[in-house]
Amino acid sequence: MSSLFERIKSAIPKDGLQIASYKVIRQIQDYEERIYPPQIWVRTQMKSTSREDCTYPMFWKLFNYISGQNERQEKIPMTAPVSVLIEPDDPSEVADHPQSTFTMAFYIPAPFDEDPPQPVDPSVSIEHRPEIRVLVRTYGGFSNDRIDQEERCHLLASLTAEDKEMVQDQLNQPGGGVYYCAGYDPPLKLFFRRNEIWLPIQGQCDSSDGSTLSPLN
């Protein structure tokens, strides 16, 4: 385990993790509205009943990519956050144990975003993420499936009537709608951790090829 932590530590720049840029549009008491500009990410995807169960394999697929397992054998610095898009199954189409599709992504910083190396793992792909607007709740500690749901519920309960209208299309989707979890800290950081729940506004999760929430190929 210590060797794994050392690998992660070696990928973190000495001046700290570069964070994917965004602009805060509004600050409300318990949440804020942000706009993320178009950005390049690298992503992978799994289907499971639990984010915890697929976090480890997805993380290492992406970590191996930035560590040089790509077509140019190029190393890319670790960045933040690690985002996970969660798309629940339609409960009416699943008899037992409904699953979700989890798409984990690492932000690719400049100058690598101008021409990112292509993955060699077929389950990893480059994501051209369009501009998105999200409502964001920030919280600390280590997160898990239960905490994800609790914090998402806290965010929903704190929304103004106007903001609930802005995310209503997402909430009306089968399974309760899509959302993002975002984590900013490596596993070896024990205190003052930063986690977030993002609620996309009005169909803001369209994929780069023009289709809505399409699975990876």
Side-chain angles (χ1 to χ4, degrees), residues 149-168:
Q149 289 301 321
E150 288 178 353
E151 295 296 337
R152 182 170 181 264
C153 288
H154 287 321
L155 174 55
L156 290 170
S158 67
L159 296 181
T160 64
E162 293 81 6
D163 286 343
K164 286 180 180 177
E165 285 295 323
M166 294 200 329
V167 299
Q168 198 60 48

Side-chain angles (χ1 to χ4, degrees), residues 81-100:
V82 175
S83 74
V84 181
L85 176 63
I86 301 170
E87 306 167 63
D89 281 349
D90 185 342
S92 66
E93 298 178 358
V94 181
D96 297 305
H97 307 298
Q99 295 185 319
S100 294

Side-chain angles (χ1 to χ4, degrees), residues 4-216:
L4 297 180
F5 286 166
E6 287 300 318
R7 284 188 64 195
I8 296 173
K9 186 177 179 180
S10 67
I12 299 175
K14 292 183 179 179
D15 56 352
L17 295 174
Q18 181 175 335
I19 294 176
S21 62
Y22 60 86
K23 182 178 181 180
V24 177
I25 303 303
R26 290 183 297 132
Q27 182 74 54
I28 303 88
Q29 182 176 359
D30 294 322
Y31 64 97
E32 63 187 22
E33 180 182 350
R34 298 178 188 166
I35 290 182
Y36 283 82
Q39 294 169 334
I40 306 299
W41 298 64
V42 60
R43 65 182 182 176
T44 190
Q45 191 175 81
M46 288 184 67
K47 204 171 184 67
S48 176
T49 58
S50 164
R51 181 172 71 87
E52 293 176 76
D53 290 346
C54 56
T55 291
Y56 184 90
M58 288 196 299
F59 179 90
W60 285 107
K61 283 176 182 287
L62 299 179
F63 189 83
N64 287 336
Y65 167 83
I66 67 168
S67 298
Q69 292 187 20
N70 52 67
E71 287 188 348
R72 294 202 297 264
Q73 299 181 346
E74 191 169 31
K75 291 188 177 182
I76 300 171
M78 188 73 193
T79 58
V82 175
S83 74
V84 181
L85 176 63
I86 301 170
E87 306 167 63
D89 281 349
D90 185 342
S92 66
E93 298 178 358
V94 181
D96 297 305
H97 307 298
Q99 295 185 319
S100 294
T101 299
F102 298 92
T103 304
M104 179 180 284
F106 288 5
Y107 167 63
I108 297 182
F112 303 95
D113 60 339
E114 295 180 0
D115 181 26
Q118 290 300 308
V120 293
D121 184 338
S123 66
V124 176
S125 68
I126 301 299
E127 175 188 357
H128 295 264
R129 187 177 295 183
E131 178 183 285
I132 60 170
R133 289 173 60 204
V134 290
L135 301 178
V136 180
R137 176 179 172 85
T138 302
Y139 59 101
F142 285 88
S143 199
N144 55 37
D145 290 322
R146 176 184 60 80
I147 294 173
D148 289 348
Q149 289 301 321
E150 288 178 353
E151 295 296 337
R152 182 170 181 264
C153 288
H154 287 321
L155 174 55
L156 290 170
S158 67
L159 296 181
T160 64
E162 293 81 6
D163 286 343
K164 286 180 180 177
E165 285 295 323
M166 294 200 329
V167 299
Q168 198 60 48
D169 286 351
Q170 297 291 352
L171 301 180
N172 289 337
Q173 290 183 15
V178 303
Y179 63 100
Y180 286 89
C181 294
Y184 287 77
D185 304 296
L188 54 159
K189 183 176 180 180
L190 301 180
F191 303 103
F192 306 107
R193 298 178 62 83
R194 176 183 174 187
N195 309 288
E196 293 174 345
I197 297 291
W198 302 350
L199 287 182
I201 294 173
Q202 301 293 0
Q204 291 285 309
C205 289
D206 290 359
S207 64
S208 60
D209 60 6
S211 60
T212 301
L213 299 175
S214 61
L216 300 178

